[in-house]
Amino acid sequence: MKIFLLTTLALLLVAPPAGGALLVPMYEQPGDDALPLPEAAESSLPHGKTEEITVTASRLGSGAAGQAAVTTVIPAEEILASPAAALDDVLRQVPGFSLFRRSGSRNANPTAQGVSLRGIGPSGASRTIVLDDGIPLNDPFGGWVNWGRVPLAAIDGLEVVRGGTSDLHGSGALSGVIQILRRRNPGAVIRLFSGDGETAGISAAASFPYGPYTLTLDGEHFQTKGHIPIAPEHRGAVDRPAGVERTVADASLSRDWSQNARAFIRLGGLTEARENGTALQTNATTLSQLAVGFDRTIGSDRLSFRGFGLEQDYEQTFSAVLAGRNEERLTRLQEVPSSSHGLSAHWLRDLGDGRAFVAGAEFKRVEGRSDEWVPGSDTIASSNGGAQRMASLFGETLFAPLPDTSLVLSARWDRWENHGGPARDPGMSQRRVESAFSLRAAVVRKLDDRWTATASAYRSFRAPTLNELYRSFRVGNVVTAANPELEAEGVVGIEGGVRFTGERLDTRINLFRMELEDPVANVTLSATPDLVNRRRENLGRTLTKGVEADVDLKISPVWSLSAGYLYADARVVSFPEEPTIEGRRLPHVAPHTISSSLRYDDKVSSGTINLRWSDEAFEDERNSMVLNDYFAVDVFASRRIHRIVHAFAGVENLTDERIEVGMTPLPTLGARRTWRFGFDLR
């Protein structure tokens, strides 16, 4: 492992004297940034992982605006060549990507799948917004992400923008945005696979053009028995593997009017059932969603409209595990119906000479409640929830005040109203109104043909979810209480860096500082071996500062290497209610993370070796529960056996590393060595 660390750091910090940009094509998408400006659309970029022009980092869709943000792009071929079988595990190769705990979506409870970037501090409610072609994918009630909602075969690429982006994407984009770009090319991709732990699945995507119309059908079925999450030395008779069975399907119809206009409608649904690691703990999700959109280009103007509606029902059981873990008692049954509806529109004008601006508005409404029963009773014991309405106005402009220098300015105003409390007692409901102003200023300076310098400053926010405000929950023997008085989180950040592009190398080093005001955290009130009591609180202030580095190296026509490093010093700097935790590290944030990926592809055979090391982290804000560091090795190999058929095999955690993902308060573990094999039809 030491050789791996030294080699990776050397690659990250040393650039050869010659090279060229390793960039990936821009993906046209039916999201908020479809129909990019003509000069961006005509760009022809070589293949790679880090791109210069993005569709997520800026609504302007221009090179300078996109380059101002630290963006990683993972194209479809790398997703299919990844050893990982789940989308969130693919994204773990991006340093700083983390869920609430280290466990993945194949085994973790959905409420623990909140995502964050750059060591800002993960929580059950995401501090990063995830978009499916411009439509929010975060859970409407709790903010976490169901990573199985988009079939892997339907994904044309991933864009990960690190740093606050609320100026463009509003609440939830506190530490960045992840955009999932869907396939639109004619043809089909089908993947069938099987593996250990009773793992099996099929993922498929197909598009059928007919004149100006295109019908797209996507679907996936996945199931796995999973693994037992409790560490072996603490297991008892109640412990079971944590597994999932999920089916998702989408159908969309689009119509194009030459190159000037496009409309689409998409209908999708998901059913999912999970076993959460003991005999009595289960949960299930069903949802349906409708999305519509329209884009029109008239001369130098572009108009875009989006609308979506989602209905979801979530059910879960809770239990108390007695000492020795040989007996378990069912304590609660829960049902969480929720819905989300939204509209957005924006207008973009290209003024020429590197100048452009965009203005728009968004509206979203979220409703949900949590109904809970005592086992054996038909009477609801508690019912808490409410509604949140949010309206937003935003604008962004790009201009060149000096030669070889571009300036991007953007601002957004959000106002939201929370209304909720005990659903069975409307007289006790609470109404609160808040607002936030987000802005960003970024400058891009082209130093010469190979070197570019960037700098930016921004302010972002995240409004508390209905789940945080009104719903208490239990995980294992940890009980966390809701808090209807929570205020919005806010980030003030600055960053700057340089980028080198050559014929074979693309590397970027960036320094950043992000101060988080009023972060929502689960604060421990009391702890015993049998019960830990916590409550959601605005923690005061935290500070995350560090450095990130990314490298893409084209070794030869068939060999390529990418690597990333993140140093994040994330600490509590102010918490008046409990000064003893000031100066301590944020839970679940590792100071150092390093990843690298070595890939071979000669169009007939391909292979991938992914290496990932994470420093130790803490489970709690008092830094008393240590999650040890780990080093994971994943491998993947594929061979074409027919013109359209590829056979593949992959192994995750090849060395069977023990990966500690949480303390509840007993240690819980991530998956040990797992394997799968299958076939791709392309």
Side-chain angles (χ1 to χ4, degrees):
M1 186 177 72
K2 292 182 179 179
I3 295 176
F4 159 69
L5 297 178
L6 291 173
T7 302
T8 301
L9 283 173
L11 283 168
L12 289 166
L13 299 177
V14 178
L22 292 181
L23 309 174
V24 287
M26 185 177 67
Y27 297 92
E28 188 180 358
Q29 46 142 341
D32 283 342
D33 304 289
L35 300 179
L37 294 176
E39 60 268 30
E42 293 171 359
S43 297
S44 179
L45 304 176
H47 172 71
K49 186 177 180 180
T50 304
E51 69 170 6
E52 188 171 1
I53 300 176
T54 64
V55 295
T56 302
S58 173
R59 293 182 185 265
L60 294 170
S62 65
Q67 195 174 17
V70 179
T71 305
T72 298
V73 171
I74 305 176
E77 54 267 32
E78 289 188 22
I79 297 172
L80 290 177
S82 171
L87 181 57
D88 57 303
D89 289 326
V90 174
L91 286 163
R92 289 183 191 277
Q93 285 301 114
V94 178
F97 171 89
S98 61
L99 301 186
F100 179 35
R101 292 185 170 90
R102 290 168 165 176
S103 55
S105 64
R106 282 173 289 176
N107 308 110
N109 189 293
T111 60
Q113 294 174 30
V115 58
S116 68
L117 295 167
R118 199 182 263 174
I120 195 67
S123 70
S126 299
R127 291 186 170 126
T128 294
I129 192 169
V130 181
L131 302 175
D132 174 14
D133 274 349
I135 304 297
L137 205 64
N138 301 66
D139 184 272
F141 185 74
W144 50 78
V145 179
N146 191 318
W147 296 97
R149 280 182 56 184
V150 182
L152 281 179
I155 299 176
D156 202 25
L158 301 169
E159 285 189 347
V160 183
V161 181
R162 288 168 273 176
T165 54
S166 291
D167 56 303
L168 299 178
H169 301 288
S171 178
L174 193 75
S175 63
V177 58
I178 298 172
Q179 178 91 264
I180 302 171
L181 308 176
R182 295 218 182 201
R183 292 180 181 270
R184 290 179 55 191
N185 296 328
V189 175
I190 303 174
R191 166 164 285 192
L192 302 97
F193 59 89
S194 181
D196 62 344
E198 300 182 32
T199 299
I202 178 172
S203 185
S207 293
F208 308 95
Y210 184 77
Y213 297 95
T214 300
L215 174 66
T216 301
L217 302 175
D218 306 325
E220 184 172 279
H221 178 80
F222 176 84
Q223 64 183 49
T224 182
K225 198 69 174 179
H227 71 285
I228 299 177
I230 293 294
E233 62 269 23
H234 297 289
R235 291 174 187 168
V238 304
D239 292 303
R240 302 285 191 277
V244 61
E245 182 172 359
R246 176 181 62 245
T247 301
V248 59
D250 295 294
S252 65
L253 180 66
S254 64
R255 190 190 194 286
D256 291 278
W257 289 267
S258 65
Q259 299 295 318
N260 298 320
R262 177 177 179 269
F264 73 91
I265 181 171
R266 180 190 299 138
L267 180 65
L270 172 143
T271 61
E272 181 180 85
R274 289 180 177 268
E275 297 177 347
N276 293 323
T278 71
L280 299 180
Q281 294 180 16
T282 63
N283 67 262
T285 303
T286 59
L287 68 84
S288 58
Q289 177 173 288
L290 174 68
V292 296
F294 177 76
D295 299 296
R296 176 70 186 272
T297 299
I298 306 173
S300 59
D301 295 319
R302 186 186 75 196
L303 301 175
S304 293
F305 166 82
R306 295 291 178 270
F308 71 91
L310 180 144
E311 300 287 337
Q312 177 176 284
D313 191 62
Y314 177 78
E315 298 177 350
Q316 181 163 315
T317 62
F318 296 87
S319 71
V321 178
L322 305 186
R325 302 192 66 80
N326 291 317
E327 188 176 349
E328 181 182 22
R329 177 170 51 87
L330 194 64
T331 58
R332 288 273 175 164
L333 307 175
Q334 180 189 54
E335 182 177 6
V336 184
S338 61
S339 63
S340 178
H341 305 84
L343 296 170
S344 67
H346 73 258
W347 164 51
L348 183 150
R349 166 160 286 192
D350 178 16
L351 300 175
D353 299 324
R355 297 174 299 134
F357 75 89
V358 63
E362 294 183 356
F363 173 81
K364 184 171 70 172
R365 177 180 173 86
V366 175
E367 297 183 42
R369 72 177 190 274
S370 174
D371 297 332
E372 298 189 10
W373 295 265
V374 176
S377 172
D378 294 331
T379 303
I380 296 178
S382 65
S383 181
N384 295 278
Q388 184 178 80
R389 292 191 296 269
M390 180 173 288
S392 313
L393 298 173
F394 60 87
E396 184 181 19
T397 185
L398 167 70
F399 58 97
L402 296 171
D404 298 321
T405 303
S406 297
L407 184 63
V408 183
L409 300 175
S410 54
R412 180 180 176 119
W413 176 79
D414 289 89
R415 181 186 183 275
W416 65 97
E417 175 183 313
N418 296 324
H419 190 279
R424 293 188 301 161
D425 191 351
M428 295 182 62
S429 64
Q430 303 179 32
R431 178 180 179 271
R432 293 178 59 201
V433 177
E434 288 190 80
S435 62
F437 184 70
S438 307
L439 70 163
R440 171 186 288 269
V443 60
V444 179
R445 172 72 176 178
K446 189 172 180 60
L447 304 178
D448 58 30
D449 290 341
R450 296 177 179 175
W451 289 94
T452 303
T454 62
S456 62
Y458 49 83
R459 180 174 181 83
S460 294
F461 82 102
R462 184 187 72 85
T465 64
L466 297 177
N467 177 69
E468 293 170 299
L469 293 168
Y470 306 119
R471 172 186 170 261
S472 301
F473 70 97
R474 179 171 186 149
V475 177
N477 290 347
V478 179
V479 177
T480 303
N483 185 352
E485 300 299 323
L486 291 175
E487 298 179 350
E489 302 176 332
V491 156
V492 176
I494 57 173
E495 60 186 72
V498 293
R499 180 175 182 178
F500 174 88
T501 57
E503 292 179 1
R504 294 187 300 146
L505 179 80
D506 188 341
T507 184
R508 183 169 190 165
I509 299 177
N510 197 63
L511 303 175
F512 64 90
R513 183 185 190 276
M514 301 174 69
E515 186 171 0
L516 178 58
E517 302 169 348
D518 298 320
V520 177
N522 298 333
V523 178
T524 301
L525 305 177
S526 63
T528 68
D530 297 324
L531 185 65
V532 177
N533 284 301
R534 294 175 176 169
R535 184 179 63 225
R536 299 185 182 100
E537 299 281 2
N538 287 110
L539 193 61
R541 284 191 302 121
T542 69
L543 178 63
T544 301
K545 55 184 178 180
V547 59
E548 54 195 353
D550 297 277
V551 165
D552 284 288
L553 176 65
K554 189 71 171 178
I555 302 173
S556 73
V558 296
W559 287 96
S560 61
L561 174 70
S562 64
Y565 167 71
L566 173 70
Y567 168 69
D569 182 14
R571 298 181 182 273
V572 178
V573 296
S574 174
F575 187 41
E577 294 186 17
E578 192 175 349
T580 58
I581 69 172
E582 293 180 0
R584 299 188 186 275
R585 284 166 44 189
L586 295 184
H588 296 281
V589 178
H592 302 274
T593 54
I594 300 177
S595 66
S596 69
S597 181
L598 179 65
R599 295 179 295 276
Y600 173 87
D601 187 0
D602 65 4
K603 306 305 180 183
V604 175
S605 301
S606 64
T608 303
I609 301 176
N610 287 343
L611 307 177
R612 186 173 66 257
W613 175 75
S614 177
D615 203 354
E616 69 174 20
F618 294 105
E619 166 71 22
D620 63 323
E621 74 282 352
R622 292 191 174 109
N623 294 179
S624 61
M625 301 178 181
V626 179
L627 304 174
N628 292 317
D629 67 333
Y630 70 90
F631 178 70
V633 181
D634 306 327
V635 297
F636 179 91
S638 175
R639 173 78 178 182
R640 189 173 67 194
I641 58 177
H642 184 268
R643 184 174 58 88
I644 62 170
V645 181
H646 298 248
F648 70 86
V651 181
E652 296 178 76
N653 196 1
L654 180 66
T655 59
D656 205 25
E657 181 88 350
R658 176 179 166 126
I659 302 176
E660 297 177 350
V661 302
M663 299 278 185
T664 60
L666 299 179
T668 55
L669 306 180
R672 304 299 289 262
R673 180 171 50 235
T674 60
W675 56 265
R676 64 192 175 106
F677 68 92
F679 299 91
D680 287 337
L681 286 77
R682 308 178 190 174

